[in-house]
Amino acid sequence: MSSGWVNFGNTCYYFGYENVTFAEAYRKCQQMQGQLVEVECEAEWVFLKTQAEKKSLDEFWIALTDAFNENDWSWINTWRTASFTSWSPGEPNNSNLNEHCVHAVGRIQYQWNDLSCNRQIPYICEA
């Protein structure tokens, strides 16, 4: 497994393998002069999924959250509503009324799932 920056278009992506909470992932990306990844379109998402699979990243945080307004899924960096999504069927479901952050899950083709923000998993940054 190798972490590091990878280019796609005009953006660089960092694949972090350290298991961290959503807030820690957000801070780590900022410390690297980047931000937690926001997925803008299908082409970007295909690239990220392909890279995650190549790097054996089983799951990872993306910057989507509804922590500040239930069922209003927005990017934490810009507070824009997500125009592109890749939810797993039946998601988001806010299981146990405690799932307010989004991760991509490799075992289901990296479809998105809402998850407790305190779970510790890898992350992807962009700059």
Side-chain angles (χ1 to χ4, degrees):
M1 291 189 297
S2 66
S3 59
W5 292 94
V6 178
N7 292 330
F8 178 72
N10 294 328
T11 307
C12 295
Y13 298 90
Y14 178 84
F15 294 79
Y17 289 92
E18 182 182 359
N19 289 326
V20 297
T21 66
F22 183 84
E24 289 169 335
Y26 176 80
R27 282 191 298 275
K28 284 183 172 296
C29 291
Q30 285 187 320
Q31 289 168 352
M32 290 186 283
Q33 312 304 308
Q35 64 182 21
L36 197 55
V37 70
E38 294 184 7
V39 183
E40 302 295 332
C41 65
E42 180 76 25
E44 180 184 28
W45 186 235
V46 169
F47 167 78
L48 291 170
K49 291 189 304 184
T50 301
Q51 289 297 310
E53 190 170 40
K54 280 185 189 176
K55 295 173 179 294
S56 300
L57 203 59
D58 295 332
E59 63 182 330
F60 55 87
W61 289 121
I62 62 173
L64 202 57
T65 184
D66 77 342
F68 301 101
N69 191 7
E70 185 65 32
N71 290 320
D72 179 12
W73 294 96
S74 301
W75 298 112
I76 195 168
N77 307 303
T78 59
W79 296 113
R80 288 181 296 123
T81 300
S83 57
F84 172 85
T85 61
S86 185
W87 293 109
S88 179
E91 299 296 341
N93 65 5
N94 197 21
S95 181
N96 297 318
L97 303 176
N98 188 34
E99 294 185 334
H100 302 292
C101 296
V102 178
H103 72 134
V105 185
R107 66 177 159 35
I108 54 172
Q109 291 74 51
Y110 295 99
Q111 291 179 315
W112 300 358
N113 175 58
D114 55 337
L115 186 68
S116 167
C117 301
N118 292 323
R119 280 279 305 277
Q120 295 190 343
I121 63 172
Y123 58 96
I124 298 177
C125 304
E126 65 181 338

